[in-house]
């Protein structure tokens, strides 16, 4: 019988030859306990013996991998007392010295006669050739042409060749692997068979084979994850009764006709998609992604009105009070003049919108909650926090959740209990933080996704200039601020990000404010806004800026979300290098909101190559999705999945960054195999793997 992965997880590595208690403990430090763990401890890289550089062929400055034998190792002390390990190594062509600073243990590791792979850059020091602090792997006396190098082995006192030996034994004893992927999909996607893949990833015949093997095994990881997500999605759908909303009424057409503009094609598509969801028997569970200014609010209101049209209520939840207030203003403006009637108790009357936040006075609160319970209120706008309290709806039909960060599944679950008569309300989650497609498929894998990938027409693009820390370019930025203000427009100055604390941040903003008032922006009317100000002063500062009384607002990142002053056309971001891509993009979105041309100046030099890449990307594009892809490239997927999730998931080979096409294929296959939810019954091997290998599925669904 071919082996399944869950079976291999039942055997301890202690059953392999040469693994006693000491080795077992060392392996444990690499999180290897079972034979399956060992087989999924994949080589970090491979050394192709037929293709190695030789010492004699290298010149100073060359970077190469060398396969060499240790001739002599010694330690000496630098003048400051720090140990320097010097190791002479040789191949058939010559000799070279390896120099290690602050790694005294190297002397013990690299004993005479050891065969090692050395990766580093050749330099010359006082006329002698050497390689400083190279990456070194003990390869031992291996015979294969391609030598696998296992991760982190040396720090645990394990040799990479020892691991290779155990892996080979495990492979031999495992024999043939059962393959959960149907043959048709395998051939359609050009994926290798699993038995071959496990062998070739560890003991490859060629580097190409190692990559094909890797691709197959990475696909398996992604498929398990997607099957889990798609299965959860189907289960949620099957397990709950949704509301079949009325979608052919007159309210939505009147609403759309009342807008002072026509919808973009993307908005129309989004509204069609969410109305189709809402008409259906299952509760909607959709994510609406769209860059700042893409026009999500109209789509959200269309969902709420669809609910209202059938006599149900709608809820609009924002992450902060300020945003809830702003949404309330927008929603009221959008629905003004619209009426509902017939289907509910109150006859033909205007659509009623109420706002409920922590700031609502007690009396108003009592009145609003009472009329919410009778159904007199059609749309409630509030903060997320409200929904953890007991706000009673008469009949909640749909909720829109505007999120800054991820609105947790627990919170979404609370919403699901708020419908009338056991029916689950439809949920639309909106986010203005674009995340790459493949990441969305994972982070939001249990949702359907709509992307608003088109901005309303008539936006003037924002010109972004990174001054690169050059004095002249920075002076030009301040000149632009003065020119725009002189022309009657306004500007933001964003203070450097200070990590220490809110207090330090506020102090530095105040200092910046004073410096500018006496320097570059002398004579202009400046406002100051930071998180340490009392709420009343914050509001006063914002109001003065909105009314145009202050010409320049010097602020910390508190202006990142929700501030909307179309007359502001310039933003200067100080020490831009300290901010992340997403944050810079959000900040920049505060300008370019009116008809006038806008500018964003990024000041300060880059202090790291990553910083330079970030700032160049911002200069190049204003497309949030493109920037999100760049961010994923720079930072890797850990930041998207979160460190906790990354550590605990079963993605050992696959990367959301490198393997984007594979993620999409895996999702496609998962949809095909899971079908309407019952499909996995025909794929018991896959189902067992998903249940067994993804140990803690909860982590995926927590914010
Ligand atoms: P988002 O919430 O996606 O950041 P909003 O919904 O706040 O964007 O819309 C941004 C601005 O664009 C608003 O002032 C809105 O009135 C306007 N707007 C939305 N849709 C359109 C459209 N189709 N044509 C023109 N302007 C639009
Ligand atoms: Mg529905």
């Amino acid at each position: 019988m071919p082996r399944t992965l869950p079976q291999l997880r039942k055997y301890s590595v202690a059953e392999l030859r040469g693994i006693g208690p000491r080795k077992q403990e060392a392996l444990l430090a690499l999180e290897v306990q079972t034979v399956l763990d060992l087989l999924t401890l994949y080589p970090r890289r491979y050394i192709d013996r037929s293709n190695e550089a030789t010492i004699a062929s290298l010149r100073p400055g060359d970077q190469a991998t060398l396969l060499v034998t240790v001739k002599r190792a010694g330690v000496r002390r630098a003048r400051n007392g720090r140990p320097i390990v010097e190791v002479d190594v040789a191949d058939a062509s010559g000799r070279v010295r390896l120099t290690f600073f602050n790694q005294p243990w190297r002397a013990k590791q690299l004993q005479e006669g050891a065969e090692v792979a050395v990766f580093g850059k050749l330099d010359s020091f006082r006329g002698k050739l050497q390689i400083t602090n190279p990456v070194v792997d003990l390869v031992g006396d291996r015979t294969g042409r391609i030598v696998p190098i296992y991760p982190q082995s040396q720090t645990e006192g394990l040799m990479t060749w020892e691991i290779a030996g155990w892996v080979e034994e495990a492979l031999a004893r495992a024999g043939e692997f059962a393959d959960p992927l149907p043959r048709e999909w395998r051939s359609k996607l050009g994926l290798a068979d699993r038995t071959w893949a496990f062998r070739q990833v560890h003991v490859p015949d060629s580097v190409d084979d190692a990559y094909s093997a890797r691709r197959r095994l990475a696909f398996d990881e992604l498929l398990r994850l997607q099957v889990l997500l798609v299965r959860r999605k189907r289960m949620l759908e099957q397990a709950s009764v949704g509301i079949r909303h009325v979608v052919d009424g007159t309210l939505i057409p009147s609403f759309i006709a009342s807008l002072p503009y026509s919808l973009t094609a993307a908005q129309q598509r989004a509204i069609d998609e969410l109305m189709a969801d809402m008409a259906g028997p299952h509760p909607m569970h959709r994510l609406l992604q769209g860059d700042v200014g893409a026009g999500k609010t109209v789509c959200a209101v269309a969902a709420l009105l669809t609910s209202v049209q059938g006599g149900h209520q709608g809820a609009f939840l924002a992450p902060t009070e300020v945003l809830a207030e702003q949404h309330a203003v927008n929603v009221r403006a959008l629905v003004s003049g619209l009426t509902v009637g017939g289907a509910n108790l109150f006859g033909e009357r205007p659509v009623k919108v109420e706002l409920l936040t922590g700031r609502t006075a007690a009396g108003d609160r009592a009145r609003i909650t009472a009329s919410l319970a009778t159904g007199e209120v059609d749309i409630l706008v509030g903060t997320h926090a409200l929904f953890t309290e007991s706000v009673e709806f008469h009949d909640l039909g749909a909720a829109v959740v505007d999120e800054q960060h991820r609105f947790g599944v627990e919170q979404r679950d609370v919403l699901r209990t708020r419908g009338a008569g056991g029916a689950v309300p439809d949920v639309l989650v909106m986010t203005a933080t674009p995340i790459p497609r493949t990441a969305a498929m994972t982070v939001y894998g249990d949702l359907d996704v709509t992307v608003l990938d088109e901005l309303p027409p008539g936006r003037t693009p924002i010109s972004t200039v990174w001054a690169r820390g050059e004095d002249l370019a920075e002076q030009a930025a301040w000149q632009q601020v003065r020119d725009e203000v002189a022309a009657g427009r306004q500007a933001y100055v964003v203070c450097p990000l200070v990590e220490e604390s809110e207090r330090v941040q506020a102090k530095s903003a105040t200092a910046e404010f004073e410096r500018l008032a006496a320097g570059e922006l002398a004579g202009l009317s400046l406002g100051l806004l930071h998180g340490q100000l009392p709420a009343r002063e914050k509001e006063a500062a914002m109001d003065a800026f909105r009314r145009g009384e202050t010409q320049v607002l010097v602020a910390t990142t508190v202006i990142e979300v929700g501030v909307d002053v179309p007359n502001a056309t310039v933003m200067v971001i100080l020490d831009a290098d300290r901010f992340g891509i997403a944050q810079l993009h959000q900040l920049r979105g505060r300008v370019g909101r009116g008809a006038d041309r806008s500018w964003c100046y990024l000041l300060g030099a880059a202090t790291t190559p990553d910083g330079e890449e970030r700032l160049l990307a911002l200069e190049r594009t204003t497309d949030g999705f493109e920037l999100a892809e760049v961010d994923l490239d720079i930072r890797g997927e850990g930041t998207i999945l979160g460190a906790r999730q990354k550590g605990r998931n079963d993605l050992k080979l696959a990367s959301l960054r490198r393997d984007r096409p594979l993620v999409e294929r895996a999702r496609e296959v998962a949809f095909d195999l899971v079908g309407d939810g019952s499909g996995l019954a025909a794929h018991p091997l896959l189902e067992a793997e998903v249940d067994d290998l993804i140990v803690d599925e909860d982590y995926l669904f927590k914010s």
Side-chain angles (χ1 to χ4, degrees), residues 259-265 267 290-299 326-327 330 334 402 430-432 452 455-459 564 590 593:
L259 296 172
Y261 41 75
S262 44
L263 297 177
T264 63
Q267 283 171 319
D291 218 336
V292 185
K296 293 183 291 294
T297 317
V298 169
C299 305
Q326 199 154 320
H327 281 318
N330 291 340
L334 284 168
D402 181 9
M430 317 198 294
T431 173
L452 281 187
L455 291 182
R459 296 284 160 83
D564 188 5
R590 299 306 105 207
R593 300 176 85 80

Side-chain angles (χ1 to χ4, degrees), residues 244-250 252-253 274-280 306 309:
R244 288 179 183 268
H245 286 279
V246 181
V247 292
D248 52 2
T250 55
I252 301 298
L274 66 90
M275 300 236 302
D277 286 354
M278 291 180 75
T306 300
Q309 157 172 278

Side-chain angles (χ1 to χ4, degrees), residues 85-259:
V85 175
E86 292 172 327
V87 180
D88 291 329
V89 297
D91 65 10
S93 77
R95 243 172 200 263
V96 72
R97 169 162 292 184
L98 313 179
T99 307
F100 299 92
F101 294 96
N102 289 321
Q103 303 174 34
W105 50 276
R106 290 290 190 186
K108 239 179 102 194
Q109 180 202 24
L110 301 175
Q111 292 184 357
E112 189 184 329
E115 279 223 49
V116 295
V118 173
F119 177 76
K121 191 159 137 193
L122 191 72
D123 53 46
S124 91
F125 181 69
R126 290 189 185 145
K128 287 186 76 174
L129 293 179
Q130 65 168 20
I131 303 178
T132 307
N133 291 340
V135 177
V136 177
D137 291 295
L138 290 168
V139 292
D141 188 14
R142 306 291 300 164
T143 44
R145 191 166 71 86
I146 312 270
V147 181
I149 302 296
Y150 289 92
Q152 295 164 6
S153 48
Q154 57 205 17
T155 52
E156 300 303 335
L158 293 171
M159 307 290 174
T160 186
W161 54 264
E162 284 182 292
I163 297 177
W166 298 324
V167 167
E168 279 185 41
E169 190 197 334
L171 283 170
R173 284 172 57 173
E176 206 179 318
F177 289 76
D179 199 328
L181 185 62
R183 190 182 304 274
E184 309 81 71
W185 272 117
R186 227 188 303 152
S187 68
K188 196 164 164 197
L189 301 175
L191 288 168
D193 132 276
R194 189 183 256 182
T195 306
W196 183 90
F198 265 111
R199 228 193 131 66
Q200 291 291 323
V201 85
H202 289 291
V203 196
D205 289 330
S206 72
V207 172
D208 281 351
D209 285 338
Y211 283 110
S212 303
R214 186 196 164 282
R215 182 166 177 269
R216 164 63 209 259
L217 297 170
F219 178 83
D220 285 357
E221 294 175 357
L222 293 167
L223 179 62
R224 286 193 286 271
L225 191 58
Q226 288 302 332
V227 163
L228 184 81
L229 291 162
V230 171
R231 184 177 65 178
R232 175 180 156 102
K233 182 169 155 35
R234 294 292 184 241
M235 277 182 337
L236 285 176
E237 289 166 0
Q238 306 292 330
S240 44
V241 180
I243 301 162
R244 288 179 183 268
H245 286 279
V246 181
V247 292
D248 52 2
T250 55
L251 191 55
I252 301 298
S254 332
F255 167 58
I256 290 170
S258 76
L259 296 172

Side-chain angles (χ1 to χ4, degrees), residues 566-589:
N567 192 46
T569 52
V570 198
M571 172 173 283
V572 178
I573 304 179
L574 304 173
D575 278 350
D577 173 67
R578 298 208 190 174
F579 297 90
I581 282 195
Q583 206 171 16
L584 287 169
H585 179 63
Q586 289 291 328
L587 286 167
R588 178 170 61 180

